[in-house]
Amino acid sequence: MSLHVIFHRKVTFEAKCTYCGAHEWLTSAEAVTKFTHDHEPCNKLYEAEFEQSLCAQEIQEAINAETRNASAD
């Protein structure tokens, strides 16, 4: 999730959900809090997928290292 702040007569927050793509222009802290709360499940899914991709990368690196060691022998 990303928030950008724009100052133009009043503070406006641009909120984007990285997971589902929701996009809103918010003008109060309460609205930002609500958007964040509403997209909490999206954040958890995004983090889980990111962790899964890191694990897959680590596994692939370990396989590559094993392959290099086996071919060096």
Side-chain angles (χ1 to χ4, degrees):
M1 180 171 316
S2 64
L3 288 174
H4 296 97
V5 182
I6 298 171
F7 296 96
H8 182 67
R9 297 191 185 180
K10 66 180 178 179
V11 177
T12 303
F13 299 90
E14 179 184 16
K16 289 183 183 178
C17 180
T18 308
Y19 192 77
C20 74
H23 179 263
E24 292 183 33
W25 292 96
L26 311 170
T27 57
S28 70
E30 293 81 14
V32 171
T33 301
K34 183 179 180 324
F35 185 90
T36 303
H37 178 74
D38 290 349
H39 291 275
E40 189 173 339
C42 293
N43 282 334
K44 289 181 181 178
L45 288 168
Y46 182 80
E47 289 172 4
E49 288 180 3
F50 180 74
E51 288 292 324
Q52 185 179 13
S53 70
L54 287 179
C55 289
Q57 182 180 353
E58 289 175 6
I59 290 169
Q60 187 60 49
E61 289 172 358
I63 291 170
N64 292 346
E66 295 253 341
T67 303
R68 282 192 303 271
N69 290 339
S71 66
D73 294 338

